[in-house]
Amino acid sequence: MFQSHTGYPFFSRPISALEENQFKRQEVYETAWNKGGFEISATYNDLLLNESSNETLSQFVKDKIKQVVKDQTLAEKLLPTYPIATKRLVLDTNYYETFNLPHVHFVNVKTAPITQFSENGICTADKEYPLDMVVFATGYDGMTGPLLNMDIKGRGGESLKEKWEHGANVSTYLGVATNLFPNMFMITGPQSPSVATNMPTSIEQHVDWIDRFIAYIEAEGLEMVEANAQQEEEWRIHCEEVYRKTLYSKTPSWYSGANVEGKPEAFLIYLGGLGPYGKILENCATSEYSGFDQYSSITKSM
């Protein structure tokens, strides 16, 4: 799994979706659809790079939704309006079938926003919906939220929030460390493959690498290691360049902070793939952790 692009035990077909004839392509999509999971978004190697290729999969999924949802007016409302898989896929067990049930209603809170909770249920701009129970899902601040909420202070007393104050300027080295915060390692942090991959696999990859680095620190008698500022900036630029080549750049989502009001939008995931990223980590390790400033005495480094 560590060699694949996504961290899952499957690999993309090494061709464009446009190179396959439509009958074979339909067969490939149908097989992946019936199998379930994320594999359908990795059936061809350019689905997240080429709009025309992506459209073949988008249309397949739209046709499936129209087949399942009986009310075609409602089905139209459920169709994705963005390149497929640039938002988290709906991995469902009879999710779309649920909309055929007589007691299930679709409410678009973008056109009819929730105004208040009432004694009987929820009120939108259009009407009141009586409910016995409400699951109040507040959303989350992806990639940076948990780190900033810990209010971590770095060398010189600056907080991580102050360093990343403008959001779009978030920077790390390899997604595992950041300059001015010595001896601090992040697991699946900003600018690592993180949520664009199989998270347990990504977590294991980082934990193993950090454990190896700590062993090196102890063996070398080092007291402090810190991401080099120049290497960090180069990694930030590289992450941005990779992102701009993909269709993710055309879709506002929680991946880029679009779900948090007032948060500057910045795509904070490395999209180069888990396998290639693992080779970058390995090169860093075998070059005695180049990219990190290393000090045998903290006093001398301050």
Side-chain angles (χ1 to χ4, degrees):
M1 291 193 294
F2 292 103
Q3 282 71 48
S4 73
H5 192 89
T6 60
Y8 291 96
F10 52 74
F11 294 82
S12 297
R13 295 164 67 81
I15 59 172
S16 165
L18 302 179
E19 294 179 76
E20 198 88 90
N21 72 68
Q22 61 177 329
F23 303 106
K24 177 61 176 178
R25 188 172 60 225
Q26 187 76 7
E27 179 186 320
V28 169
Y29 288 157
E30 192 72 43
T31 299
W33 177 272
N34 292 329
K35 185 176 181 180
F38 290 113
E39 188 168 349
I40 196 167
S41 63
T43 42
Y44 295 98
N45 65 10
D46 64 342
L47 290 175
L48 292 170
L49 301 173
N50 183 305
E51 286 190 76
S52 296
S53 292
N54 187 280
E55 180 55 32
T56 66
L57 178 57
S58 291
Q59 191 57 55
F60 174 85
V61 173
K62 290 175 182 178
D63 289 343
K64 284 292 186 183
I65 295 171
K66 290 179 181 179
Q67 290 171 19
V68 172
V69 180
K70 296 176 182 178
D71 182 338
Q72 290 303 292
T73 300
L74 174 57
E76 286 291 334
K77 296 177 180 179
L78 294 169
L79 301 182
T81 58
Y82 48 84
I84 195 73
T86 56
K87 289 188 178 183
R88 182 60 60 85
L89 288 174
V90 175
L91 300 183
D92 71 293
T93 299
N94 299 325
Y95 171 76
Y96 289 107
E97 286 84 349
T98 303
F99 289 95
N100 294 325
L101 299 175
H103 62 282
V104 173
H105 304 279
F106 174 87
V107 179
N108 187 339
V109 296
K110 290 184 177 180
T111 57
I114 294 172
T115 56
Q116 65 179 18
F117 287 92
S118 68
E119 183 179 348
N120 298 314
I122 290 178
C123 297
T124 71
D126 287 344
K127 61 181 292 187
E128 180 181 26
Y129 293 88
L131 301 166
D132 296 324
M133 181 182 296
V134 175
V135 178
F136 187 43
T138 59
Y140 51 95
D141 186 352
M143 308 309 300
T144 57
L147 291 166
L148 298 183
N149 286 340
M150 287 190 283
D151 195 28
I152 301 168
K153 297 291 196 302
R155 182 160 56 84
E158 182 183 46
S159 70
L160 197 57
K161 185 174 183 179
E162 288 169 328
K163 178 180 178 179
W164 292 346
E165 182 179 4
H166 299 295
N169 295 324
V170 171
S171 61
T172 70
Y173 181 52
L174 306 182
V176 296
T178 188
N179 181 255
L180 300 179
F181 290 79
N183 295 347
M184 185 186 88
F185 298 107
M186 296 174 285
I187 296 172
T188 63
Q191 296 165 345
S192 74
S194 187
V195 295
T197 64
N198 182 351
M199 281 297 283
T201 306
S202 285
I203 290 168
E204 184 176 348
Q205 182 186 62
H206 270 177
V207 169
D208 287 347
W209 187 86
I210 292 168
D211 177 67
R212 185 176 168 188
F213 193 2
I214 292 173
Y216 167 85
I217 292 168
E218 292 176 342
E220 295 296 316
L222 300 173
E223 292 190 28
M224 189 177 91
V225 295
E226 180 179 353
N228 178 271
Q230 181 178 342
Q231 293 292 318
E232 179 174 296
E233 177 61 10
E234 290 177 5
W235 180 251
R236 185 194 67 79
I237 292 171
H238 175 60
C239 289
E240 180 71 15
E241 289 173 344
V242 173
Y243 160 63
R244 290 298 171 191
K245 293 177 182 178
T246 74
L247 298 179
Y248 284 97
S249 62
K250 299 181 179 295
T251 306
S253 69
W254 71 261
Y255 291 154
S256 58
N259 65 315
V260 179
E261 186 175 355
K263 182 177 181 178
E265 289 195 35
F267 196 85
L268 300 176
I269 306 166
Y270 178 59
L271 294 173
L274 193 72
Y277 173 76
K279 293 179 180 178
I280 294 171
L281 288 179
E282 181 61 21
N283 288 338
C284 177
T286 55
S287 62
E288 298 185 327
Y289 300 92
S290 58
F292 285 86
D293 297 328
Q294 305 175 24
Y295 303 95
S296 59
S297 171
I298 293 179
T299 303
K300 291 180 181 180
S301 68
M302 301 303 282

